[in-house]
Amino acid sequence: MRDLKDHRLLEQKHWFSLFNPRQRQEALMLFDVFIHCKDWDTFVSNAAYFRQRMNEGEFVYALYVAVIHSPLAEHVVLPPLYEVTPHLFTNSEVIEAAYRAKQTQTPGKFQSSFTGTKKNPEQRVAYFGEDIGMNTHHVTWHMEFPFWWQDSYSHHLDRKGENFFWVHHQLTVRFDAERLSNYLDPVGELHWDKPIVQGFAPHTTYKYGGQFPSRPDNVDFEDVDGVARIRDLLIVESRIRDAIAHGYIVDRAGNRIDIMNERGINVLGDIIESSMYSPNVQYYGALHNTAHIVLGRQADPHGKYALPPGVLEHFETATRDPSFFRLHKYMDNIFKEHKDSLPPYTVEDLKFNEVSVDKVSIDGQLETFFEDFEYSLINAVDDTQEIADVAISTYVPRLNHKDFSFNIDISNNGGEALATIRIFAWPHRDNNGIEYTFDEGRWNAIELDKFWVKRKYFTSVPGTNHIVRKSSESAVTVPDVPSFETLFEKTKEALGGADSGLTEFESATGIPNRFLLPKGNEQGLEFDLVVAVTDGAADAALDGLHENTEFNHYGAHGKYPDNRPHGYPLDRKVPDERVFEDLPNFGHIQVKVFNHGEHIHH
């Protein structure tokens, strides 16, 4: 309140970036107010009061994070960010058309297309990095697990560092699978002493603050004034890799923290990001957060041109820039160095009593297609009392897949057992048609699902325990977020006594279900599909998991249900794949993912 009265807060109608320290501090002051509200009325009244007075971006950020984390708002469904701040998700050409529609009072539906032209091979995978749902997933995850989080706000975020590794690892391997679907090589890693080969012209505009900066091809990294020198990033990287080679991290008091175990990845994630959980930020720095700013500012590293922040300085827009995936490939390889230093699993580690996987198959063809998806742009244009709103929306092609199911036959000669079923897939060959070894493949594995089953197995006859799991049930994915309009309608119905039917949308943290499968191609892109059935009693961090259909893989509330490291049992190096070939509780088949160029138009 004092800063507000002294006019020290960022004015309205100005861009907001979480990576700007002062703007972040202001948004967090507001978050602090929300998270400490004792009851619903106080929460809502504070929100209404500050909505009139705070910068719009700071307000939206503080409110979203508070709703995600406050026990008062546990069942609140947040509207999709691409309808709240459409500028961050929509190309400038469409935004301009929206303004014209408002000025001339003509309702309009405008077609959005992806940035760039066919002359740029990166254009072939723009449907992934520019997807509104993928961007929503990325920004929401960073709201569930903010780097600035301190437990004094309300609760501890379980396995936050490891989750940081895993969610970005999955984005990276999924992006590579999309590239292979489009006859492109997997991305190479970015490095500080090499040029940034891929330029980027975002075709996006701030609502307040002009165009997002562009970057030409083949730019050499430059120091960014007031943020970081490139040599400092190299030093921080070498300290982190040193810790991996030693197998321990040194905390601020000079004590060693052993990382040569399955929890080491968690500490490493806290250090690399870095979050407030980092045991020694003085020494290990903030490699990931600094890198985002440094890469985002390469268009104006010395602040000569007063450009606003780049796309990499917002989680909403970061994945649009192809260099995002190259930056994360670089981080991912540092994590891999640690994972590869751990002892490989043995057959003894992995086998599960008397349980075996007899058969794995797929119901239905694995086939993807594109379809037009419409969302409202009413928030993109300025609002005045005098001029009435008109219906303005855009539609954009989005990947989706036809429904399919996993069929898994399990036999068990032991008694009743709780089992964890883990399903992964990785591309069978690289872009040159060379088969991946098991060890190369498993690091590129896309997590498709993870769930628990409990069965009394009366018989050991194969095929009697038949499990069918639908693609729509996947625990790593979430459905499309309902639009503002749908939320208004459902709320009206609920006030009239109907069931709101919104429970499945309470958590938006997860990959959009439409992206469960990579695109594939006309010939059918070959994948290795593996199913690991592991000991649920040893895996489970919570009781009753087999009864829980709502378990969301990425959510931040309470304890993470699976005790095993993310990616288990494929998370460690496999010097000898016979370990897996001889494992009865491991099924491995080849499948193909097809895309026949189908596009369902609006």
Side-chain angles (χ1 to χ4, degrees):
M1 288 305 293
R2 193 167 67 235
D3 280 9
L4 183 63
K5 287 200 181 83
D6 295 345
H7 302 291
R8 296 198 41 164
L9 297 176
L10 181 64
E11 72 266 24
Q12 293 194 328
K13 302 200 181 334
H14 186 289
W15 55 261
F16 159 71
S17 167
L18 187 65
F19 287 110
N20 175 303
R22 173 62 194 171
Q23 294 180 2
R24 177 168 71 243
Q25 187 193 351
E26 293 180 10
L28 295 195
M29 285 197 283
L30 183 56
F31 168 75
D32 210 314
V33 171
F34 292 155
I35 200 77
H36 290 111
C37 289
K38 298 274 190 294
D39 58 42
W40 180 256
D41 288 340
T42 315
F43 192 131
V44 174
S45 309
N46 272 314
Y49 179 84
F50 286 107
R51 182 177 184 272
Q52 303 298 325
R53 292 164 178 81
M54 291 278 287
N55 170 273
E56 301 83 352
E58 292 181 351
F59 173 79
V60 168
Y61 183 76
L63 184 68
Y64 266 64
V65 183
V67 166
I68 287 170
H69 290 279
S70 166
L72 295 172
E74 193 186 345
H75 300 295
V76 170
V77 175
L78 288 161
L81 279 163
Y82 47 81
E83 290 195 341
V84 179
T85 51
H87 277 73
L88 295 175
F89 296 88
T90 313
N91 283 6
S92 314
E93 293 80 358
V94 171
I95 297 282
E96 284 162 24
Y99 272 108
R100 279 197 297 280
K102 173 91 179 206
Q103 279 161 349
T104 58
Q105 291 284 284
T106 329
K109 279 183 195 178
F110 307 105
Q111 183 178 356
S112 281
S113 56
F114 297 114
T115 305
T117 69
K118 286 189 173 166
K119 286 184 179 171
N120 179 5
E122 293 295 320
Q123 168 69 8
R124 295 182 218 163
V125 284
Y127 65 83
F128 184 86
E130 292 185 27
D131 183 73
I132 53 175
M134 209 42 100
N135 285 308
T136 302
H137 157 63
H138 188 221
V139 70
T140 309
W141 186 89
H142 281 282
M143 288 173 164
E144 290 249 9
F145 296 95
F147 62 82
W148 47 262
W149 184 267
Q150 288 167 294
D151 291 355
S152 54
Y153 283 122
S154 69
H155 52 276
H156 179 70
L157 302 181
D158 193 32
R159 291 170 66 176
K160 179 167 179 299
E162 184 184 4
N163 284 336
F164 169 76
F165 151 65
W166 186 247
V167 80
H168 292 94
H169 174 68
Q170 283 296 301
L171 278 178
T172 308
V173 298
R174 282 177 169 278
F175 186 60
D176 279 345
E178 300 296 349
R179 294 178 71 82
L180 290 171
S181 301
N182 291 284
Y183 311 102
L184 295 169
D185 285 330
V187 292
E189 61 173 14
L190 207 58
H191 210 263
W192 306 117
D193 41 20
K194 296 206 177 84
I196 312 163
V197 178
Q198 297 294 339
F200 182 57
H203 286 256
T204 356
T205 318
Y206 282 96
K207 188 166 185 182
Y208 311 111
Q211 296 283 335
F212 273 89
S214 297
R215 182 185 64 247
D217 288 349
N218 300 310
V219 171
D220 284 321
F221 272 108
E222 285 198 45
D223 297 344
V224 176
D225 297 4
V227 176
R229 294 175 305 192
I230 297 304
R231 69 165 184 267
D232 297 340
L233 290 166
L234 286 162
I235 290 167
V236 160
E237 177 198 336
S238 96
R239 288 172 180 175
I240 292 167
R241 293 180 59 187
D242 212 33
I244 292 169
H246 278 303
Y248 62 82
I249 274 155
V250 179
D251 72 12
R252 282 186 68 173
N255 305 312
R256 291 181 178 187
I257 301 171
D258 177 22
I259 57 169
M260 291 300 288
N261 54 55
E262 59 180 28
R263 293 286 175 251
I265 186 84
N266 192 43
V267 188
L268 206 57
D270 288 336
I271 271 175
I272 288 176
E273 186 174 19
S274 77
S275 70
M276 302 296 283
Y277 287 6
S278 168
N280 194 347
V281 76
Q282 250 65 2
Y283 186 70
Y284 295 109
L287 186 61
H288 166 264
N289 295 350
T290 314
H292 263 268
I293 306 171
V294 167
L295 191 51
R297 291 282 170 87
Q298 287 305 304
D300 186 18
H302 309 299
K304 275 188 184 169
Y305 308 108
L307 294 181
V311 288
L312 284 148
E313 295 174 73
H314 305 270
F315 292 126
E316 291 91 336
T317 52
T319 61
R320 292 172 154 264
D321 188 334
S323 68
F324 169 87
F325 294 102
R326 288 160 178 81
L327 176 67
H328 275 283
K329 178 67 73 100
Y330 157 74
M331 307 281 166
D332 204 49
N333 286 342
I334 300 176
F335 283 120
K336 184 175 194 294
E337 214 167 292
H338 160 71
K339 281 287 194 180
D340 284 354
S341 72
L342 298 170
Y345 296 117
T346 62
V347 172
E348 292 311 303
D349 293 334
L350 297 175
K351 71 175 205 290
F352 176 19
N353 320 343
E354 310 285 309
V355 173
S356 65
V357 175
D358 302 321
K359 186 165 182 264
V360 177
S361 64
I362 301 278
D363 252 355
Q365 201 183 38
L366 300 178
E367 190 186 329
T368 66
F369 58 91
F370 283 90
E371 63 179 354
D372 287 339
F373 183 91
E374 187 182 353
Y375 62 97
S376 163
L377 293 178
I378 208 123
N379 265 354
V381 294
D382 293 324
D383 211 26
T384 53
Q385 295 288 308
E386 299 79 50
I387 304 173
D389 281 341
V390 289
I392 311 169
S393 62
T394 181
Y395 56 95
V396 60
R398 298 184 67 191
L399 187 69
N400 204 344
H401 56 83
K402 307 211 161 149
D403 286 337
F404 65 93
S405 302
F406 299 107
N407 293 321
I408 306 160
D409 289 337
I410 299 178
S411 52
N412 173 21
N413 300 325
E416 180 183 74
L418 175 67
T420 318
I421 304 199
R422 305 162 186 277
I423 308 177
F424 298 92
W426 65 78
H428 188 60
R429 301 168 194 278
D430 70 10
N431 199 29
N432 296 319
I434 299 166
E435 281 187 28
Y436 283 119
T437 64
F438 190 95
D439 191 47
E440 290 165 332
R442 61 96 207 163
W443 180 255
N444 291 312
I446 292 169
E447 184 172 29
L448 293 173
D449 207 347
K450 170 163 52 174
F451 58 100
W452 283 266
V453 288
K454 192 171 197 170
R455 290 277 165 95
K456 281 199 171 64
Y457 297 111
F458 297 113
T459 158
S460 54
V461 181
T464 43
N465 303 301
H466 183 63
I467 292 168
V468 178
R469 178 78 168 180
K470 294 194 191 103
S471 57
S472 57
E473 295 173 316
S474 166
V476 303
T477 66
V478 291
D480 291 324
V481 186
S483 65
F484 257 128
E485 202 180 341
T486 310
L487 290 173
F488 286 145
E489 280 166 19
K490 299 257 192 201
T491 307
K492 276 201 197 101
E493 287 165 21
L495 289 170
D499 172 31
S500 76
L502 289 173
T503 38
E504 63 173 318
F505 305 111
E506 281 173 22
S507 169
T509 319
I511 299 234
N513 184 272
R514 49 174 63 247
F515 276 92
L516 181 63
L517 293 179
K519 173 176 158 270
N521 54 34
E522 191 70 48
Q523 289 79 34
L525 189 65
E526 249 185 305
F527 282 85
D528 288 73
L529 179 78
V530 302
V531 176
V533 178
T534 61
D535 184 348
D539 298 345
L542 300 167
D543 293 335
L545 287 170
H546 57 290
E547 290 144 7
N548 182 358
T549 53
E550 294 306 305
F551 153 59
N552 180 317
H553 186 74
Y554 285 118
H557 293 287
K559 204 159 162 41
Y560 188 76
D562 182 16
N563 259 327
R564 299 288 183 188
H566 280 307
Y568 175 86
L570 303 174
D571 60 312
R572 295 194 183 181
K573 69 169 187 282
V574 182
D576 183 353
E577 63 264 28
R578 286 173 304 187
V579 169
F580 283 90
E581 282 164 17
D582 302 341
L583 207 58
N585 52 321
F586 188 77
H588 184 170
I589 59 168
Q590 248 85 51
V591 295
K592 283 184 175 176
V593 180
F594 291 92
N595 181 292
H596 298 304
E598 184 185 351
H599 184 160
I600 298 169
H601 287 288
H602 189 65

